[in-house]
Amino acid sequence: MRTKFSEIKIGPFTVKIGEYQTECRYIIYDSNKKKFSEGKNITRDEAIQSAHNAISSYKKAMASNRVNGIPTSQEFVKAFSSLNLSDGQWAMLKAHYNAPEKKLTSSQLAEAANYQHFYAANTQYGNLGRMIADYLDVTPKGKYKDGSPLWITTITLENSDSFEDDSGHYQHTLRKEVAEALEIVGGI
C-alpha cells in the first residue's frame, strides 16, 4: 500500500494526515503553521476524531479560564505571538497602551499608525480584533445596531459612553487583558 497524505481544516487549525500501511498519523498546525499537536491511530477516521478531540479539549481549557467570556492575557500573548500583525496595528497597540487611562480616539489611533483618516484606523483595528477573535475562537461582546460583531471590542471595552470632551469623539479603552499581554510580549 502506498502512503496517502491528506489535509483537512478544523476551524483555524490545519490537520495533515498520513495514512501508512499499519497506522494513520496526524499533525495539527495552528493558523500560523506552528505545530499544535500530533498523534497516531489505526484509521483515518480515528485520526480525524482524535484531532477534533485535541482541539476541543484545548478550546474548553482556554474557555474555562476566561472571566465573562473575555480571553485571558496569556491567550492574547499567544495570539500576538502567532498572528502576523501589520506595523500600523502594532503602532496603534503601542500608542493605546501608553495613552492616559489607555483611552484613544480613532483619530489618535490613526495618527499613531500614520494613517491619513480615522476610517483606516477603525478598519485596521477592527481587522486586528477579528483576527484575534478568530484565532481565539471568541465572539466579541460589542455589537453593531444590526447585531453583527463589533470586532474592535475584542481588544477594547464595549462601553459606549466614553467621549473625549475636547473633540466629542468616542474614546476606545484598551482591555486590561490586552494591556497585560502587551507587557509580556514587550516592545511597548
Side-chain angles (χ1 to χ4, degrees):
M1 175 179 162
R2 277 181 80 189
T3 303
K4 185 176 168 185
F5 295 98
S6 60
E7 183 176 297
I8 64 168
K9 292 286 286 176
I10 302 174
F13 297 93
T14 301
V15 182
K16 295 192 178 192
I17 302 165
E19 296 178 63
Y20 299 90
Q21 191 168 358
T22 60
E23 66 186 10
C24 192
R25 298 180 196 162
Y26 66 90
I27 301 175
I28 306 170
Y29 295 93
D30 68 14
S31 61
N32 209 31
K33 298 183 172 91
K34 291 183 181 176
K35 190 192 314 186
F36 169 75
S37 183
E38 64 183 317
K40 61 183 175 180
N41 294 90
I42 302 298
T43 68
R44 182 178 192 278
D45 287 342
E46 289 173 343
I48 292 170
Q49 187 59 51
S50 291
H52 273 284
N53 291 344
I55 292 167
S56 179
S57 294
Y58 170 72
K59 288 180 179 181
K60 285 178 186 172
M62 278 196 325
S64 71
N65 293 319
R66 295 176 181 163
V67 176
N68 297 323
I70 306 301
T72 65
S73 57
Q74 287 301 318
E75 288 180 272
F76 282 108
V77 167
K78 187 166 177 57
F80 290 144
S81 300
S82 298
L83 298 171
N84 294 317
L85 278 63
S86 70
D87 290 342
Q89 289 167 332
W90 277 117
M92 288 188 292
L93 284 169
K94 182 178 180 179
H96 212 165
Y97 176 86
N98 288 305
E101 299 180 52
K102 311 245 182 292
K103 293 180 180 181
L104 287 179
T105 65
S106 294
S107 294
Q108 291 168 322
L109 289 167
E111 184 179 323
N114 291 319
Y115 297 137
Q116 292 191 10
H117 201 277
F118 73 88
Y119 290 133
N122 284 346
T123 299
Q124 286 301 309
Y125 233 31
N127 287 343
L128 174 59
R130 185 173 192 154
M131 285 177 6
I132 293 169
D134 288 347
Y135 183 82
L136 298 177
D137 195 28
V138 296
T139 302
K141 297 284 184 186
K143 306 274 184 240
Y144 286 103
K145 289 179 183 177
D146 68 0
S148 62
L150 181 57
W151 296 110
I152 194 171
T153 62
T154 304
I155 52 179
T156 66
L157 298 179
E158 62 273 7
N159 58 348
S160 59
D161 57 352
S162 180
F163 287 89
E164 183 181 56
D165 292 334
D166 293 341
S167 69
H169 291 158
Y170 176 75
Q171 290 184 307
H172 305 285
T173 305
L174 192 66
R175 287 193 177 282
K176 71 176 179 66
E177 297 85 358
V178 174
E180 291 167 359
L182 292 170
E183 291 170 2
I184 295 167
V185 171
I188 52 168

